[in-house]
Amino acid sequence: MRITGLGHASALIETRFGSILTDPWVNPAYFGSWFPFPDNSQLDWETLGQADYLFVSHLHHDHFDPEHLRRFISKDATVLLPAFPTSELEDALRDLGFHSFVKTVSEEVVEVDGLQIMIQSLTSPTDGPIGDSSLWVSDGTTRLLNQNDARPSNLDRFLELGPVDAYLIQFSGAIWFPMVYELPKRAKEALGATKRARQFDRSLRYIEELGAKYVYPTAGPPCFLDEELWGFNDIFDDESNIFPDQSVYLRFLQEKGHDEGRLLLPGSVTNVTEAGAPVHHPISDSEVEALFADKTSYLRAMQARRMPEVEALKKTWAHPEIDVLTALQEWFTPLLVEADQMAAGINGGVRITAEDAERGDVDLILDFETREVRAYNEEKVRYRFRTRRAYLEHLIFEHEIDWVNSLFLSCRFSALRIGPYNEFIYTFFKCLSEERLNYAEGWFAEKNNDDETIVMDGWEIQRRCPHLKADLTRFGEIEDGVLTCQMHGWKWRLADGKCLSSVGTELRSAPVGEAATESAGAAASS
């Protein structure tokens, strides 16, 4: 088994049963903010794109790069598809021309032309864009685990499959906290230092739990080439910077007594089955050393090459024809009405100020108590975001249903909050479609109460659709003993709860009174 590093979370895994290309990302992501470090744009992607299999772990744009996939990756590659709650990833790949899919079941090993693979899918609303995943691969001799950004609660399932030889794991930050928060400098530095330490500690716990023979730090860090964001690069000897690079992390591992770490740069090749798994870099050892020792010079040269891509993007963001307040009222109001769980969790207003020195600011509030979007009128709020008007106009123009996977990860905003972090706010902003919102609402509802029952047409049934957690009081219809969820058209036979649209997704149902009688009888017999 041979691994070629391709930058960030991307790698080419070559086995005797075929090759797998993972998470190819090259183009600037998140409003042109993030770039892979080191630069991978000069690799031979025409050749790399001829891999037999493609694995995209999730839809975050530093893993899913549609333009790059469209231009360089063979559409005959078989996609190894995680089992996510929605079909968004599959739909997006099909739109790009991919047509061959292996649809996996989470944590189940499947053999594909001699190659054993297993994908663990994480599907809570806080896991990536409603889903993140890890890829386990075995060619019968060597085992590899590519965990990238995923954060499983434990690694038990992977350990059951035997010792892992190669482990690809995230170590660097991939978030906007604490840099964008309006805090005193010392407070921000303290939070950043804590965040950096936790990143390292979390990855070290994973490494020690798995006990892999070789560890390859991947999935970070990004670099920031726009002057507005230049300060986020880890080039200032700042222990509070959350984007440390590979060399920093490998030194950390060595200080902790771990010598299994290996450096993968774009174009680096390692043969996992060779003694010691030596890495052969595309540049000399002295050039590798200089890359990290004088990182500033490297980034300035990269900036000169690649910033024209960002400047071209910037010209497309402003849409003065869009009335921001009216557009968000039309888009968000129906979602706010349905967001019972998130509204209860936020319990107040979220202020958004979209600034523009020439055209004027747009200042509005999302009121999760009254479930409306309106102009801000000096109300006191606990949560506030500031950004540029052009960014909001672009989000509206594109009808971007995941602002986490666009504006927030861009770090092109500032935030202010009173009190602790509120997961419901960012979850709402990644669920700006009816499908996503209903899944997240159902997930939170089941987390708080997994046995809620409703009565419809003489039947007692679970409130949330077993498919994607839609509220059946809103989307359920019963006809001739069959329940149809109108969100996606899935059907269940009420007499026995059997799903008529898919396998293994049963509905809890019983005629009114029968469930209570059975419960009372069970209590009496006990």
Side-chain angles (χ1 to χ4, degrees):
M1 185 179 289
R2 186 169 72 170
I3 305 170
T4 302
L6 303 179
H8 205 66
S10 186
L12 181 68
I13 304 164
E14 295 174 279
T15 78
R16 56 190 172 133
F17 298 114
S19 57
I20 306 172
L21 179 63
T22 71
D23 288 344
W25 167 49
V26 174
N27 293 297
Y30 312 123
F31 281 97
S33 297
W34 290 34
F35 287 81
F37 173 82
D39 191 6
N40 61 355
S41 63
Q42 297 169 330
L43 294 175
D44 181 6
W45 285 105
E46 294 281 1
T47 300
L48 295 167
Q50 299 305 308
D52 300 298
Y53 300 98
L54 172 68
F55 171 67
V56 177
S57 60
H58 59 295
L59 278 166
H60 276 161
H61 288 306
D62 56 319
H63 298 259
F64 173 71
D65 182 347
E67 180 58 29
H68 189 67
L69 290 167
R70 179 183 294 108
R71 288 186 61 195
F72 291 105
I73 311 307
S74 170
K75 305 308 175 292
D76 292 328
T78 297
V79 177
L80 306 176
L81 191 69
F84 287 155
T86 75
S87 63
E88 289 177 53
L89 177 57
E90 180 183 354
D91 294 343
L93 290 169
R94 287 191 184 277
D95 287 346
L96 291 171
F98 294 95
H99 55 88
S100 177
F101 290 80
V102 174
K103 298 183 180 182
T104 63
V105 176
S106 183
E107 300 192 349
E108 288 191 10
V109 177
V110 59
E111 185 169 310
V112 185
D113 294 333
L115 190 65
Q116 289 187 315
I117 66 162
M118 189 267 281
I119 297 177
Q120 182 189 67
S121 302
L122 305 180
T123 58
S124 86
T126 56
D127 287 314
I130 315 296
D132 203 343
S133 65
S134 302
L135 173 69
W136 176 92
V137 178
S138 173
D139 62 2
T141 303
T142 306
R143 301 182 187 92
L144 173 147
L145 174 58
N146 176 11
Q147 189 175 318
N148 62 86
D149 292 9
R151 298 182 187 178
S153 58
N154 59 69
L155 302 177
D156 291 353
R157 180 61 181 123
F158 303 111
L159 290 167
E160 291 172 1
L161 299 174
V164 171
D165 299 285
Y167 185 27
L168 285 68
I169 182 174
Q170 183 189 54
F171 66 96
S172 190
I175 195 69
W176 53 86
F177 177 84
M179 304 87 68
V180 304
Y181 277 85
E182 298 175 15
L183 293 169
K185 185 175 185 290
R186 292 184 64 180
K188 195 178 294 189
E189 289 175 346
L191 290 169
T194 300
K195 177 78 170 64
R196 178 171 168 140
R198 286 177 178 170
Q199 291 167 183
F200 280 16
D201 289 344
R202 179 178 61 244
S203 57
L204 181 61
R205 285 197 301 271
Y206 280 133
I207 288 168
E208 293 182 339
E209 180 182 356
L210 191 65
K213 187 180 293 185
Y214 306 112
V215 173
Y216 302 89
T218 58
C223 62
F224 302 87
L225 303 183
D226 195 325
E227 285 297 329
E228 295 180 9
L229 308 169
W230 185 258
F232 294 159
N233 292 305
D234 190 19
I235 54 176
F236 305 102
D237 296 321
D238 180 3
E239 290 297 320
S240 69
N241 187 290
I242 71 164
F243 300 111
D245 61 41
Q246 300 90 326
S247 67
V248 174
Y249 186 71
L250 288 169
R251 285 197 298 272
F252 165 80
L253 285 182
Q254 290 175 339
E255 291 167 1
K256 296 296 182 180
H258 288 267
D259 61 1
E260 68 270 41
R262 300 289 185 272
L263 173 65
L264 279 185
L265 301 174
S268 299
V269 178
T270 178
N271 189 331
V272 182
T273 56
E274 187 177 342
V279 180
H280 304 281
H281 298 301
I283 55 178
S284 68
D285 290 345
S286 60
E287 288 173 309
V288 172
E289 183 178 351
L291 168 64
F292 295 105
D294 189 8
K295 188 174 173 181
T296 300
S297 294
Y298 179 88
L299 290 176
R300 286 299 184 192
M302 185 175 171
Q303 181 186 53
R305 289 194 308 272
R306 303 209 58 189
M307 266 305 290
E309 299 170 49
V310 180
E311 297 304 329
L313 287 173
K314 287 182 177 182
K315 296 176 182 179
T316 70
W317 294 341
H319 291 275
E321 74 278 7
I322 291 177
D323 183 325
V324 172
L325 177 58
T326 299
L328 291 182
Q329 286 173 330
E330 294 174 353
W331 181 3
F332 283 15
T333 301
L335 299 173
L336 289 169
V337 170
E338 295 187 23
D340 294 339
Q341 300 291 323
M342 285 181 267
I346 297 169
N347 192 31
V350 176
R351 182 182 175 188
I352 302 176
T353 305
E355 299 173 336
D356 189 307
E358 295 182 1
R359 294 185 289 143
D361 298 349
V362 177
D363 209 354
L364 57 91
I365 185 168
L366 309 186
D367 193 326
F368 285 85
E369 291 183 295
T370 63
R371 313 289 182 93
E372 63 180 341
V373 182
R374 63 175 184 274
Y376 177 70
N377 189 27
E378 305 302 324
E379 300 101 321
K380 291 184 178 181
V381 296
R382 286 178 290 163
Y383 311 105
R384 182 182 185 182
F385 297 109
R386 300 175 192 260
T387 190
R388 291 185 181 170
R389 181 169 173 171
Y391 303 157
L392 253 60
E393 291 172 345
H394 188 68
L395 293 170
I396 294 167
F397 179 81
E398 295 288 340
H399 198 76
E400 173 56 68
I401 65 170
D402 188 343
W403 287 16
V404 168
N405 195 20
S406 48
L407 175 63
F408 292 133
L409 280 170
S410 78
C411 301
R412 294 183 185 273
F413 74 105
S414 67
L416 180 67
R417 73 176 188 231
I418 300 172
Y421 172 77
N422 189 320
E423 71 172 356
F424 293 102
I425 291 177
Y426 291 107
T427 300
F428 177 80
F429 281 112
K430 70 165 67 171
C431 294
L432 300 176
S433 70
E434 190 171 46
E435 180 180 49
R436 280 197 181 191
L437 185 123
N438 271 275
Y439 175 75
E441 281 288 304
W443 192 91
F444 286 125
E446 288 195 358
K447 180 180 178 182
N448 296 327
N449 180 6
D450 62 3
D451 60 357
E452 188 174 7
T453 299
I454 60 173
V455 174
M456 292 180 63
D457 294 351
W459 291 90
E460 294 183 4
I461 60 176
Q462 66 190 67
R463 178 171 178 173
R464 293 286 171 176
C465 173
H467 175 216
L468 289 180
K469 315 303 181 189
D471 187 345
L472 293 174
T473 64
R474 293 176 174 148
F475 294 97
E477 290 187 3
I478 293 176
E479 184 175 355
D480 296 331
V482 173
L483 169 77
T484 301
C485 176
Q486 298 297 337
M487 173 62 74
H488 294 100
W490 282 40
K491 299 178 183 293
W492 286 264
R493 187 169 60 212
L494 292 172
D496 57 6
K498 179 178 175 61
C499 182
L500 305 179
S501 304
S502 186
V503 177
T505 311
E506 294 184 349
L507 176 83
R508 176 167 51 81
S509 62
V512 169
E514 185 175 303
T517 301
E518 290 177 356
S519 177
S525 64
S526 65

